[in-house]
Amino acid sequence: MRRVRFHAYGGPEVLCVEEAESPVPGPGELLVRTEAIGVTLPCVRRVRGDGKGGGDPLPSMPGGEIAGEVVALGPDVTGFAVGDRVTSLTFKGSYAELALAPAFLASRIPDGASAVEAVALVRSGQVALAALSTAAPAGTESVLITGAASATGHLAVQLAKLQGVPRVVAAVGSADKAEFLYGLGADEVVTYDQESWSEPVDIVLDGVGGELLPRALAALAEGGRLIFFNSGGGTVPAYELLAGSKTITGLTMRRFATVHRERYERHEAQLWELAGSGRLRAAVHAELPLAEAAKAHEIIEARANLGKVVLRP
């Protein structure tokens, strides 16, 4: 089979397409013949060595989201069968014709839905819904979303409006994304370089982090809360939390899917129902062949995408 691996940390140029033996599923794993592979900002950062602990041991393989057909089951796997079409989050080895997926994060693709739609909708939508449910906006509370044109961000904008949030502010890197976001229901669009991000908000969903985190915290009104679900790190002045009675809550999908299993499964059903009814649109920015993984990473690094970037084996 073909897979993508990197032998040194760096930019898109370090990604290499190689021939390799097919992996063997271990306990709790599915072996999936991939039909679509989602490219994520956390994966791009790990290739650069910016992940937790300074990067994965080398050589390494990118992780991310996959969708395709189950071709083998590991020991003790129940609830799935060979031939099922599934989508799942994987932590390594997703840029490949065959990938291992943890069964507890896998879910079936409904009849009539494509693998590309599944990759664009499920994982990013799960993150968006988990962030919103953690924030629990109520009544007249307002929400600001960083990385609002990203795969997760553009779904969060729509889902916030569907949940009745009266004011959704979309924060992005460039003004040329405004039309896209207004079309999805955003009430305001601000760019990172603006001196002010409009009036303070009650909730920030931060999918960017890094140097942007202090500004995201500053955008909160007194008593506001920030949900931090990005891989970019960042630091904040602790005094601002105290002085403004603000809070920051970290969110990881591995823990959310484990601890809040019923809610995780309910969210998945909700995503497919909303997409099927046309009320939620998972935008796909580009579909590229596996051999062009480097180009996919270039798009993400440039923050040029409006929605999901997908690789096709």
Side-chain angles (χ1 to χ4, degrees):
M1 69 160 194
R2 291 182 308 153
R3 70 179 183 192
V4 174
R5 196 160 65 147
F6 56 99
H7 297 258
Y9 300 122
E13 72 282 353
V14 303
L15 297 175
C16 304
V17 180
E18 304 175 343
E19 290 291 333
E21 295 293 325
S22 299
V24 176
E29 291 183 326
L30 309 174
L31 181 62
V32 178
R33 188 180 306 282
T34 58
E35 300 170 16
I37 301 159
V39 181
T40 68
L41 180 58
C43 175
V44 171
R45 284 171 167 162
R46 284 196 296 273
V47 171
R48 284 199 170 271
D50 296 335
K52 180 180 178 182
D56 301 330
L58 295 173
S60 188
M61 296 176 289
E65 310 132 333
I66 61 169
E69 181 182 348
V70 176
V71 295
L73 306 174
D76 303 324
V77 171
T78 60
F80 293 98
V82 171
D84 286 346
R85 295 179 68 241
V86 300
T87 184
S88 181
L89 176 65
T90 64
F91 301 104
K92 185 178 291 187
S94 62
Y95 290 19
E97 292 174 327
L98 291 165
L100 296 174
F104 86 102
L105 288 175
S107 59
R108 287 183 179 80
I109 301 173
D111 293 341
S114 71
V116 170
E117 183 182 7
V119 159
L121 176 70
V122 177
R123 182 264 179 185
S124 296
Q126 283 279 19
V127 174
L129 279 176
L132 282 165
S133 68
T134 300
T140 60
E141 288 189 317
S142 53
V143 174
L144 181 144
I145 300 164
T146 65
S150 69
T152 297
H154 86 287
L155 294 175
V157 168
Q158 297 174 75
L159 289 164
K161 294 306 294 183
L162 287 168
Q163 291 183 10
V165 174
R167 176 175 167 240
V168 175
V169 183
V172 289
S174 59
D176 58 3
K177 298 179 179 180
E179 182 179 356
F180 171 69
L181 289 161
Y182 283 128
L184 298 178
D187 299 292
E188 302 172 38
V189 177
V190 299
T191 57
Y192 302 147
D193 60 359
Q194 288 180 218
E195 185 174 343
S196 170
W197 285 0
S198 190
E199 294 298 314
V201 296
D202 302 293
I203 295 165
V204 170
L205 308 182
D206 181 26
V208 179
E211 295 180 356
L212 208 65
L213 180 57
R215 292 210 63 193
L217 184 64
L220 285 173
E222 185 173 341
R225 50 205 186 273
L226 185 150
I227 311 303
F228 185 79
F229 61 90
N230 69 80
S231 62
T235 58
V236 297
Y239 180 75
E240 187 165 343
L241 298 176
L242 175 65
S245 297
K246 302 175 183 180
T247 60
I248 298 177
T249 301
L251 171 69
T252 66
M253 288 311 299
R254 184 195 287 266
R255 176 171 171 78
F256 187 90
T258 302
V259 176
H260 304 291
R261 190 65 194 180
E262 183 179 343
R263 203 187 321 174
Y264 181 84
E265 293 175 355
R266 186 168 68 248
H267 284 174
E268 181 193 349
Q270 181 182 355
L271 289 167
W272 282 117
E273 190 277 326
L274 290 170
S277 66
R279 289 179 288 167
L280 180 65
R281 178 167 71 90
V284 176
H285 180 86
E287 294 182 41
L288 301 168
L290 182 64
E292 295 185 18
K295 183 176 180 180
H297 277 223
E298 288 172 2
I299 294 170
I300 298 293
E301 289 201 350
R303 305 292 176 87
N305 56 304
L306 301 176
K308 196 71 179 177
V309 177
V310 178
L311 294 174
R312 300 294 300 271

